[in-house]
Amino acid sequence: MGQVSKTLRRIEGGYAHWCPGCQEMHKLPDSWTFDGNVNSPSFSPSFKHEGIKRVFVDGKWSGEWVRDSSGNTVPFICHYILTSGVLNFCGDSTHSVAGEAVPVPELPDGLTDGQAEEML
């Protein structure tokens, strides 16, 4: 298991890439269809990651959750279709790149070989 391109890592049970909207790694499971192109990948169907927004400090989860002014945790949705190396974010995503098409970014410093799996 390890980095297979500038943008993808092979991990147990799938692949992982950096999400520019969530500012974290996302796992793409082996059960999805993959065209085999690690440099400009296409996966299907779409991916919809849902959960609670986490607080990150220096790229690592602090163990805390983002909270609104009433102290309630804040939900998030990251929904996209990855086609030919482009993340096509759906309008129901709750981050700043909702509705945009963004090339899969290179893995950031600190998330290359031997360091990404702990971020999932």
Side-chain angles (χ1 to χ4, degrees):
M1 308 282 164
Q3 191 170 345
V4 295
S5 72
K6 292 180 180 181
T7 62
L8 282 182
R9 292 186 57 80
R10 182 75 173 125
I11 61 171
E12 185 174 333
Y15 290 86
H17 71 88
W18 183 256
C19 176
C22 297
Q23 295 296 299
E24 65 182 32
M25 296 291 283
H26 285 330
K27 181 179 179 179
L28 311 173
D30 281 336
S31 60
W32 264 247
T33 301
F34 173 41
D35 70 355
N37 184 342
V38 296
N39 295 309
S40 189
S42 294
F43 286 83
S44 63
S46 69
F47 297 90
K48 189 172 186 179
H49 303 275
E50 297 182 80
I52 298 172
K53 288 186 181 182
R54 299 182 287 171
V55 175
F56 286 89
V57 177
D58 296 326
K60 295 183 180 177
W61 183 40
S62 68
E64 298 291 323
W65 307 102
V66 174
R67 297 187 180 276
D68 64 19
S69 60
S70 298
N72 300 312
T73 56
V74 177
F76 82 90
I77 296 172
C78 182
H79 189 191
Y80 58 92
I81 302 164
L82 178 50
T83 305
S84 299
V86 176
L87 295 161
N88 297 285
F89 289 99
C90 301
D92 61 342
S93 295
T94 57
H95 47 56
S96 63
V97 291
E100 295 183 23
V102 180
V104 178
E106 290 186 11
L107 296 170
D109 290 342
L111 295 178
T112 56
D113 278 350
Q115 299 172 353
E117 290 188 50
E118 66 190 52
M119 297 297 293
L120 297 176

